[in-house]
């Protein structure tokens, strides 16, 4: 059976017939296999046993995997993040008390390097899950929105997305939005963001309606007996309220300060023993389950009825903040950001081009160089646990990626190699947003030029009937007992990144507006405190690296390297510097801890290459090399390339069509960047 819908092709009963549900998905040159496997034996517990695994096969683009074993190994960061994205989009739709272990597997079998794998994968997974007929009765769709030169593009290709200043990914049903992720290189006003979300919701509603018409006739017969929702023991709850309410309030206050549940478990055991002395006999797991329900209802009722939170804050209040910078004397820069009972130590390290992280991607034929890195470490002692340190979890990778996306747009020099590491020293909610705040200040403490400070805040939501409460800067308890975790990062001018997860069946756009408005108020108050800390920063000049860049004729690069690399090795050892070379452009980048050593190394290289460096405002005769959308690349007479930006052409009343390759022009050097790149203007 083959279904053609929304430009996609789904083949049913074609492969993987032993799975609960499977389909063969095709879109243009992209082919995925999506399968759903359900264990027929339910588990005990109050969590949803769902796991999602998105895996790319190297043969999908005709590549043999790198590494010693030459085969796919653990999931890459992109695979892990995509698995999380699909999980977070589908998890809210499962029935309450669903207890059957369920695994969704997505294999990328072929990729045209232009299709959006995350949109394709979600559609394949969601429709395979809908066909399985295991209690998920709503169709799900996704859309990605890009923005190129003020033009909004729906579902862009990979190449279009690489040129975009916006990456907005939305998943939802025909009635509400389930999951949102956003990254912008420029600040986006809340009003513009809401307009884009409205257009995305309309697109998703149309797609979901089409999916429902096409797939409903082919749903599998029901194969699971869903257990009824557990009914709370009202008599036991009455006993808890009568005899132990004061102790419950104490535990709620303690839980508001930590992510630990040790106090809850101790209280459950205490109640069990006390009830037995009174002649009431219950199993411990029954007491725990009833106590958890009682606490859940008590917390939500207190917030909605009293309009006050457990720690005494109002809905829009942010916890007390303290900031210290450059607390580590031998690190390039550091920031210790504390908000309530959440504390992040963010350390910044500056490096050279060779320090960039290499990552393989199916979207690129060659490994990608990641110059801006953000690593997030959630240390067990931050929540009072004694677990051993281990490899980064999916959650840690997700939080690090969110912080990276929030901060990368604030960098004015995209060619710098920067690594930020956030060590979570104490956690009670919103540690990823504390990492964003600390990371923005750590960049400033390293002397990195940023266009604006970036602050992050996590928003929560309590919905009960027709009433709701939006909470700013949520604690772990409010996250756990609430209905939403909405992380929003931005400057004073607008939003640059966000990530929304919900435990409900989705959020309306009206709620989105309230959340964004309240989040802006919280963000502004945090930024005011951060600005004061920025003004008090004292740099670590004795440990900060310095750099120099120059351009030599590309044929002179061999002279710098020397026979068998002897010359460059001698320069590195003699002056104590690191040297990055670009053989095609002739760019030479020198980095070291002492400015004197870097300048001496630069002078030595100029001497052995007998190259005359370019000077600012120097007038040269150049040759047109390549014409791009944003300007004209030209060859410089003493080696290297430069960019003649289209804005310069427009000032002279010229267009791209006015130039041809190999045409000669008179230009003046208008800028020499730290990375060695050169801009020119018409002389």
């Amino acid at each position: 059976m083959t279904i053609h819908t929304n430009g996609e092709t789904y083949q049913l009963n074609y492969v993987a017939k032993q799975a609960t549900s499977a389909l063969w998905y095709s879109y243009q040159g992209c082919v995925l296999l999506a399968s759903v496997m359900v264990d027929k034996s339910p588990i005990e517990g109050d969590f949803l046993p769902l796991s999602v695994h998105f895996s790319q096969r190297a043969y999908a683009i005709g590549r043999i995997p790198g590494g010693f074993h030459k085969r796919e190994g653990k999931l890459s960061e992109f695979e892990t993040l995509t698995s999380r994205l699909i999980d977070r989009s589908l998890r809210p739709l499962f029935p309450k008390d669903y207890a059957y272990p369920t695994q969704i597997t997505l294999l990328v079998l072929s990729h045209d390097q232009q299709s959006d794998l995350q949109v394709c994968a979600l559609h394949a997974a969601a429709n395979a899950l809908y066909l399985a007929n295991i209690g998920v009765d709503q169709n799900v769709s996704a859309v990605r929105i890009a923005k190129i030169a003020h033009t909004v593009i729906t579902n862009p290709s990979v190449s279009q997305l690489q040129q975009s200043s916006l990456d907005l990914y939305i998943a939802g049903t025909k009635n509400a939005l389930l999951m949102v992720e956003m990254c912008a290189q420029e600040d986006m006003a809340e009003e513009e963001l809401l307009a884009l979300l409205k257009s995305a919701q309309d697109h998703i509603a149309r797609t979901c309606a089409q999916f429902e018409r096409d797939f409903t006739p082919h749903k599998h017969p029901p194969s699971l007996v869903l257990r009824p929702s557990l009914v709370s023991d009202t008599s036991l709850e009455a006993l808890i309220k009568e005899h132990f309410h004061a102790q419950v309030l104490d535990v709620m206050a303690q839980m508001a300060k930590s992510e630990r549940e040790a106090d809850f478990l101790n209280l459950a055991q205490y109640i069990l023993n006390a009830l037995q002395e009174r002649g009431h006999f219950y199993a411990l797991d029954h007491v725990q389950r009833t106590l958890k329900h009682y606490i859940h209802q008590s917390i939500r009722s207190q917030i909605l009825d009293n309009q006050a939170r457990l720690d005494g804050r109002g809905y829009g209040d942010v916890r007390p903040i303290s900031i210290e910078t450059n607390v580590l004397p031998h690190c390039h820069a550091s920031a210790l950001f504390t908000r309530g009972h959440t504390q992040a130590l963010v350390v910044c390290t500056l490096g050279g081009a060779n320090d960039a992280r290499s990552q393989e991607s199916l979207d690129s034929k060659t490994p990608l160089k990641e110059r801006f890195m953000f690593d997030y470490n959630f240390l067990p002692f931050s929540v009072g646990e004694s677990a051993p340190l281990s490899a980064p979890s999916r959650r840690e990778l997700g939080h690090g990626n969110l912080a990276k996306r929030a901060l990368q747009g604030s960098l004015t020099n995209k060619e710098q190699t920067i690594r930020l590491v956030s060590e979570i020293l104490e956690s009670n909610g919103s540690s990823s947003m504390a990492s964003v705040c600390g990371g923005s200040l750590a960049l400033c403490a390293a002397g990195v030029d940023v266009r604006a400070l970036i602050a992050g805040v996590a928003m929560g939501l309590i919905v009960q009937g027709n009433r709701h409460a939006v909470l700013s800067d949520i604690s772990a308890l409010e996250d756990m007992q609430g209905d939403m975790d909405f992380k929003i990062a931005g400057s004073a001018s607008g939003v640059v990144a966000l990530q929304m997860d919900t435990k409900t069946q989705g959020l309306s756009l009206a709620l989105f507006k309230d959340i964004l408005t309240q989040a802006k108020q919280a963000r502004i108050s945090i930024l005011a405190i951060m600005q004061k800390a920025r003004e008090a920063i004292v740099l670590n000049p004795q440990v900060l690296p310095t750099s120099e860049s120059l351009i030599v004729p590309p044929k002179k690069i061999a002279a710098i390297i020397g026979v068998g690399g002897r010359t460059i090795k001698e320069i590195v050892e003699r002056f104590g510097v690191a040297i990055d070379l670009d053989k095609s452009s002739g760019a030479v980048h020198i980095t070291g801890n002492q400015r004197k050593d870097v300048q001496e190394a630069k002078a030595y290289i100029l001497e052995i290459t007998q190259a005359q460096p370019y000077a600012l405002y120097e007038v040269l005769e150049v040759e047109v090399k390549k014409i791009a959308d944003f300007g004209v690349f030209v060859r410089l007479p003493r080696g290297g390339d430069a960019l003649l930006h289209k804005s310069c052409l427009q000032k002279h009343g010229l267009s791209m069509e006015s130039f041809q390759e190999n045409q000669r022009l008179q230009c003046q050097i208008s800028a020499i960047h730290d990375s060695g790149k050169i801009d020119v203007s018409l002389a």
Side-chain angles (χ1 to χ4, degrees):
M1 175 65 194
T2 301
I3 296 175
H4 301 281
T5 182
N6 294 319
E8 302 165 329
T9 300
Y10 297 82
Q11 291 178 261
L12 316 183
N13 301 317
Y14 177 51
V15 292
K17 298 177 183 178
Q18 298 299 315
T20 304
S21 173
L23 55 81
W24 184 275
Y25 171 96
S26 302
Y27 174 73
Q28 297 180 358
C30 180
V31 178
L32 290 89
L33 170 59
S35 67
V36 177
M37 193 65 229
V38 179
D39 192 328
K40 297 301 177 65
S41 301
I43 64 167
E44 295 296 327
D46 60 352
F47 66 95
L48 175 63
L50 171 67
S51 60
V52 178
H53 296 275
F54 169 87
S55 180
Q56 302 175 126
R57 297 308 196 223
Y59 56 69
I61 60 168
R63 176 191 292 162
I64 294 176
F68 181 79
H69 296 289
K70 300 296 181 185
R71 67 169 298 168
E72 290 82 4
K74 70 174 185 178
L75 296 184
S76 67
E77 183 171 325
F78 176 77
E79 290 171 313
T80 299
L81 294 173
T82 303
S83 299
R84 278 173 50 86
L85 181 146
I86 296 168
D87 183 301
R88 288 166 26 228
S89 301
L90 300 179
R91 185 173 289 266
L93 298 179
F94 277 80
K96 188 178 181 182
D97 301 318
Y98 182 91
Y100 295 92
T102 301
Q103 179 169 303
I104 300 175
T105 303
L106 295 132
L107 301 180
V108 180
L109 306 178
S110 177
H111 184 35
D112 56 12
Q113 298 186 306
Q114 288 300 315
S115 301
D116 189 328
L117 285 175
Q118 292 185 328
V119 171
C120 293
L122 180 69
H123 286 180
N127 286 313
L129 184 63
Y130 183 73
L131 289 171
N133 200 9
I134 57 174
V136 177
D137 296 324
Q138 294 193 69
N139 297 93
V140 180
S141 175
V143 63
R144 193 184 297 276
I145 296 176
K147 189 177 179 183
I148 302 176
H150 306 293
T151 300
V152 174
I153 300 173
T154 301
N155 284 331
S157 65
V158 169
S159 58
Q160 288 176 318
L161 189 61
Q162 290 170 349
Q163 303 172 46
S164 174
S165 61
L166 171 69
D167 181 359
L168 177 60
Y169 181 97
I170 309 105
T173 64
K174 63 182 180 181
N175 298 317
L177 301 181
L178 294 168
M179 202 281 305
V180 180
E181 279 198 356
M182 169 198 164
C183 170
Q185 300 301 311
E186 303 168 351
D187 303 336
M188 175 170 286
E190 281 77 3
E191 295 77 12
E192 182 181 359
L193 177 57
L194 284 168
L196 292 177
L197 291 174
K198 174 64 170 64
S199 66
Q201 176 66 82
D202 294 342
H203 179 94
I204 288 171
R206 291 192 300 271
T207 306
C208 287
Q210 187 62 49
F211 282 155
E212 183 177 3
R213 288 191 292 270
D214 292 332
F215 286 98
T216 299
H218 306 287
K219 291 178 70 173
H220 297 178
S223 59
L224 299 180
V225 178
L226 299 179
R227 68 184 184 189
S229 297
L230 295 175
V231 179
S232 179
D233 189 332
T234 54
S235 60
L236 178 54
E237 281 198 24
L239 289 172
I240 293 174
K241 182 176 183 179
E242 180 181 358
H243 300 291
F244 307 103
H245 187 67
Q247 292 92 326
V248 168
L249 292 179
D250 289 340
V251 166
M252 285 164 54
Q254 286 299 116
M255 292 173 70
K257 298 178 181 178
S258 171
E259 293 186 11
R260 296 181 65 186
E261 290 195 17
D263 295 313
F264 167 80
L265 298 175
N266 292 336
L267 177 60
Q269 186 65 56
Y270 170 78
I271 291 174
L272 177 71
N273 296 337
L275 288 175
Q276 287 178 348
E277 293 176 0
R278 290 181 168 87
H280 304 287
F281 298 95
Y282 295 96
L284 178 60
D285 62 337
H286 184 66
V287 172
Q288 289 177 337
R289 187 164 56 249
T290 305
L291 177 61
K292 184 171 289 188
H293 182 265
Y294 181 76
I295 289 177
H296 177 75
Q297 294 300 323
S298 298
I299 291 172
R300 296 169 68 88
S301 296
Q302 177 171 325
I303 291 174
L304 290 170
D305 296 339
N306 302 335
Q307 296 187 356
R309 298 151 77 172
L310 293 183
D311 54 10
R313 286 185 290 154
Y315 289 169
D317 294 342
V318 175
R319 292 170 290 179
I321 293 173
S322 66
I323 301 169
E324 297 176 67
T325 54
N326 283 340
V327 295
L328 304 175
H330 290 283
C331 297
H332 290 167
S334 56
L336 183 63
F337 183 91
T338 306
R339 178 162 52 194
H341 294 278
T342 294
Q343 188 175 62
L345 173 65
V346 188
V347 183
C348 178
T349 307
L350 308 179
N354 289 335
D355 294 315
R357 181 181 291 162
S358 293
Q359 290 190 340
E360 287 192 346
S361 168
L362 290 193
D363 292 336
S364 175
K365 294 182 179 179
T366 57
L368 302 174
K369 289 291 186 179
E370 184 182 2
R371 291 185 177 272
F372 181 59
M373 298 161 274
F374 197 113
D375 296 325
Y376 168 101
N377 297 318
F378 191 84
L379 301 165
F381 61 74
S382 67
V383 287
E385 296 179 355
S386 59
L389 298 180
S390 59
S393 65
R394 286 189 173 191
R395 177 177 180 268
E396 288 173 292
L397 290 174
H399 282 4
N401 182 67
L402 175 60
K404 172 190 170 185
R405 288 158 66 92
L407 294 175
Q408 64 186 6
S410 68
L411 301 174
T412 59
N413 181 6
K414 308 297 184 183
E415 300 301 318
Q416 276 185 289
T417 300
I418 302 171
R419 181 181 184 233
L420 290 172
V421 179
S422 178
E423 309 284 5
I424 302 304
L425 307 184
E426 186 179 3
S427 181
N428 183 24
S430 197
S431 58
S432 63
M433 295 296 94
S435 299
V436 170
C437 299
S440 186
L441 288 166
L443 290 171
C444 296
V448 175
D449 188 24
V450 298
R451 60 175 180 80
L453 284 174
I454 303 297
V457 62
M459 307 296 293
L461 179 69
I462 304 290
V463 178
Q464 197 162 299
N466 295 325
R467 298 186 300 165
H468 74 269
V470 177
L471 309 178
S472 298
D473 183 29
I474 57 173
S475 67
L477 183 63
E478 291 168 335
D479 182 8
M480 182 171 57
Q481 304 297 338
D483 299 313
M484 176 195 74
D485 182 10
F486 198 159
K487 303 178 180 71
I488 304 174
S491 69
S493 303
V495 179
V496 294
L498 60 82
Q499 184 180 92
M500 187 275 283
D501 301 322
T502 177
K503 300 173 189 175
T504 67
Q505 298 280 304
L507 295 186
S508 67
L509 287 174
L511 267 178
F512 261 92
K513 183 177 181 179
D514 293 344
I515 294 164
L516 289 173
T517 300
Q518 190 167 314
K520 183 176 182 179
Q521 297 169 352
R523 191 171 73 246
I524 296 299
S525 68
I526 297 168
L527 284 168
I529 300 171
M530 291 174 61
Q531 181 59 37
K532 291 181 181 178
R534 181 183 188 179
E535 293 168 358
I537 288 174
V538 178
L539 299 181
N540 285 340
Q542 68 278 11
V543 297
L544 280 174
T546 184
S547 63
E548 290 278 354
S549 297
L550 63 149
I551 299 289
V552 302
K555 62 183 179 181
K556 294 288 188 178
I557 293 292
I560 301 174
I561 297 172
V563 179
R566 292 178 187 172
T567 303
I568 193 169
K569 183 179 180 182
E570 178 189 348
I571 299 172
V572 169
E573 293 177 350
R574 176 178 170 183
F575 299 103
V577 297
I579 301 176
D580 300 314
L581 304 173
D582 189 330
K583 295 181 180 179
S584 60
S585 67
V588 180
H589 191 70
I590 310 166
T591 307
N593 291 327
Q594 300 294 328
R595 178 168 295 278
K596 177 174 173 289
D597 294 336
V598 171
Q599 290 176 338
E600 288 180 353
K602 177 182 178 180
Y604 185 79
I605 289 173
L606 288 172
E607 181 181 341
I608 63 175
T609 58
Q610 296 182 344
Q612 180 185 353
Y614 294 106
L616 191 62
Y617 308 126
E618 180 180 357
V619 177
L620 305 164
E621 185 177 38
V622 301
E623 184 179 307
V624 175
K625 178 182 178 181
K626 180 183 176 182
I627 300 171
D629 292 338
F630 48 87
V632 178
F633 286 99
V634 298
R635 293 187 185 92
L636 298 175
R638 299 194 297 274
D641 300 331
L643 174 65
L644 177 60
H645 198 270
K646 68 177 182 180
S647 60
C648 176
L649 303 180
Q650 292 167 354
K651 290 179 182 178
H652 289 77
L654 300 174
S655 64
M656 300 296 188
E657 291 73 22
S658 305
F659 299 91
Q660 297 178 350
E661 291 187 9
N662 302 320
Q663 180 181 348
R664 304 191 74 82
L665 306 169
Q666 286 290 116
C667 289
Q668 183 183 52
I669 294 179
S670 58
I672 301 177
H673 300 284
D674 292 339
S675 61
K677 290 188 175 181
I678 295 175
D679 294 340
V680 295
S681 59
L682 291 174

